[in-house]
Every structure is written in C-alpha cells, then in structure tokens.
Amino acid sequence: MTESLPSGLCSVLVTPFTEMGAVDDGSLDRLANAMIDEGARGLVPLAVTGESGHLKDDERDRVVARVMAVAKGRVPVVVGVLDECTRSAARFAGRTAQRGASALLVAPPWTPGMPAIIEHMREVAGACGLPLVLLDYPPLRGQVLDAELMAELVDAVPQIVGIKLEGVPTLPKVAQFKAALGDRLKIYGASGGLHAPQMLARGVHGLMTGYAYPTHLVSIIEEARRGNPGAAAAEYARWLPLMVYVAQRGLGVALRKEVLRLRGIIDCGRVRPPTKSIDLRARMELIEVIEQTVGVARTAA
C-alpha cells in the first residue's frame, strides 16, 4: 500500500471562508489548482490547518468533493480524518473512500491505552479500505507516539503505511522510526518546512505541510534528491525568514491564510473561532517579511 502514497511535497490545504463565514468554493478550487500548478505531488484537505474540527459534516463532505473534482486524478488526495469519536471517524472515512480519496490522514484518539488506539484505527481502516497515514501531532490531543508504539500499531493495523511526523524532537524521531520500521512506513516531514534539509537528509519520503509557497519547498526537495545538500541548504536559507514567521504556533493557520490572500489565491483570510486571527501589526509584519523574502506582496489591502 505504500506505493499509493504521494512522494515529494503534499500540500496541506486551508479551508477558505467567505466574509460571512461560509466555505468559499471558488477560493478552494483556486487553492487546490494553485498548489498542483506550483509543484505539489499530493493534496491534503481537512487536516489541522484545514480547521476540520470547526466544520460541520456536510461542509467536510463538500470540501472533499471540491478538492477531488479539482485533482481529477492529477495528484493523490489524502483526506484528514481527525474525529476522536471512532464511530464518527469511521463514517467519514467510508464516505471519503466512496468519493475516490487515495488515502486518509488519521489522528489517534486520546486514550491511556494502546488497545483503544488500535481499535480506533482498525475501525477506520475497515470502513474505508484505504492506506492510512498517522498524524503524529501531540498538540492536537496530547498523544505521544514513539517508534516502539508505532511498530505495534503497524503490526496491528497493516493499512497504516505512513506517518506525518511532528512530535518533538522531530529529527531524532525520523531516525528512530526508520530504524524500527524501515520501508514499512513512509515518513513525511511537516512543521511548515522547518528543518527540511535535515529531514530530507535523514530519509523522509516527502514533506506534508501547509506552507503557502509550494515552489519554495519543491526547490529544497529537488536539490536534496539530486544529491546537492549545499544547494538544498541555500534554498532553505533563502526562504527561512518567511517559514519561521508563518510557523508561529497558535497563529499558523491565520498567517498562512493571509499569505494566500495576499497572493490572490483565496479571497478572504477569515478563520473560525477558536482558531486565532491575526491583528493589524502581525499583518504588516507578514507583508514586510514577504517583501524581504519573496518580493512585493501582490495585495497589501
């Protein structure tokens, strides 16, 4: 099943909203197309950056349908299934599989025992029949996975063939997971591309993140895969100020949406509470960083 997972950059999509707070279909279509056009090898709607937990079921179904229609088989679509309720997660997984998703990004529930995590993953796997990528993101529910626990999960649920690795310290975890699981598990770096050259040097399969300039990360990946670590490091240094600024924990979603708005890809940078919005000072700082790193922001309004 690992063969069905995308390689390179998998762009995690925000969910654009209108000024009135509804899902913005037109902006979502443009966003998905832009990510593909700029080098993404896969699309990931409804992950943490997609504010999945703040959408109603019909809105999530609608997002999946729109992204699948844009992808049209051009790139794989890995849909986030972050429900903590096993029944809800399994139902959504089943509906998503019927829409043609390539794989699911699944968050483990918070539970003190591995048997409950295994049961959750088995239910989701059975409902969809798709490859699963595990989301290792402790801030979501406090669940911490190490290589030993991951090996136990993969043994119990063979459909788990990938992991989006964001637990810290991330770089040592890449090495530990590769040593424990080898080619049984495809590892994706994340965190907005921070430490991308080092993650690639340690053998991650690709990057799965919501950074708003895909070409920046694609350039790093391509240089690393050509065997040019110096050039990859130079590309990383070139874009690092922007990567660092938009990776602020607690504001990352709003900042990435604002970048996409400034680029003219989405119409509105609105987020849904309790996701935090940015203030005027942060917006002006962001514009300054974009101008210093990339060039003049397309829209400063």
Side-chain angles (χ1 to χ4, degrees):
M1 278 191 170
T2 56
E3 294 79 9
S4 62
L5 294 182
S7 61
L9 174 64
C10 301
S11 284
V12 177
L13 305 178
V14 301
T15 301
F17 301 121
T18 67
E19 291 286 357
M20 299 301 294
V23 174
D24 184 344
D25 292 340
S27 288
L28 181 58
D29 290 353
R30 290 197 304 275
L31 173 62
N33 270 311
M35 297 300 101
I36 296 172
D37 291 344
E38 295 181 21
R41 302 293 296 275
L43 299 178
V44 187
L46 301 178
V48 174
T49 299
E51 299 177 83
S52 177
H54 309 156
L55 301 179
K56 298 176 182 178
D57 281 352
D58 64 317
E59 290 177 318
R60 292 197 297 168
D61 289 341
R62 180 171 155 192
V63 168
V64 173
R66 301 295 301 198
V67 174
M68 292 301 306
V70 171
K72 295 178 182 175
R74 291 184 290 165
V75 297
V77 177
V78 181
V79 178
V81 179
L82 309 188
D83 314 58
E84 189 162 21
C85 169
T86 300
R87 175 178 289 185
S88 175
R91 285 177 175 171
F92 182 54
R95 296 198 306 273
T96 300
Q98 291 174 357
R99 293 192 182 276
S102 302
L104 303 181
L105 175 68
V106 184
W110 166 245
T111 173
M114 180 57 72
I117 297 176
I118 290 174
E119 183 60 28
H120 180 88
M121 303 303 290
R122 278 177 172 162
E123 288 285 338
V124 173
C128 67
L130 296 174
L132 305 183
V133 178
L134 194 70
L135 175 61
D136 174 44
Y137 183 62
L140 180 63
R141 295 197 181 107
Q143 189 64 262
V144 178
L145 295 171
D146 59 25
E148 182 179 349
L149 292 177
M150 192 66 196
E152 185 178 347
L153 265 173
V154 171
D155 286 340
V157 188
Q159 280 171 244
I160 300 175
V161 293
I163 185 167
K164 184 178 189 282
L165 190 58
E166 296 188 81
V168 296
T170 304
L171 292 175
K173 287 189 78 169
V174 172
Q176 292 160 7
F177 278 49
K178 287 189 71 66
L181 289 151
D183 294 334
R184 298 175 63 195
L185 191 72
K186 290 192 172 178
I187 301 173
Y188 294 92
S191 304
L194 294 178
H195 313 297
Q198 294 80 18
M199 287 191 287
L200 291 161
R202 290 183 183 233
V204 297
H205 184 62
L207 302 177
M208 187 178 287
T209 189
Y211 183 70
Y213 283 93
T215 53
H216 298 176
L217 298 183
V218 169
S219 67
I220 297 168
I221 293 170
E222 289 180 347
E223 292 295 353
R225 291 190 169 168
R226 291 189 190 111
N228 299 325
E235 284 293 292
Y236 178 64
R238 181 181 178 188
W239 310 121
L240 186 57
L242 181 57
M243 289 183 189
V244 170
Y245 192 83
V246 299
Q248 295 178 64
R249 184 153 288 178
L251 288 178
V253 174
L255 287 167
R256 287 164 182 169
K257 281 191 168 185
E258 183 62 12
V259 174
L260 293 165
R261 186 190 74 83
L262 290 167
R263 296 191 64 201
I265 294 174
I266 66 175
D267 291 333
C268 176
R270 179 175 179 145
V271 296
R272 281 188 179 175
T275 302
K276 294 181 181 179
S277 301
I278 59 173
D279 59 17
L280 179 60
R281 181 165 184 173
R283 182 172 290 109
M284 298 310 296
E285 289 172 345
L286 176 62
I287 291 171
E288 182 178 1
V289 173
I290 293 173
E291 290 176 342
Q292 292 171 348
T293 308
V294 182
V296 178
R298 178 172 176 177
T299 305

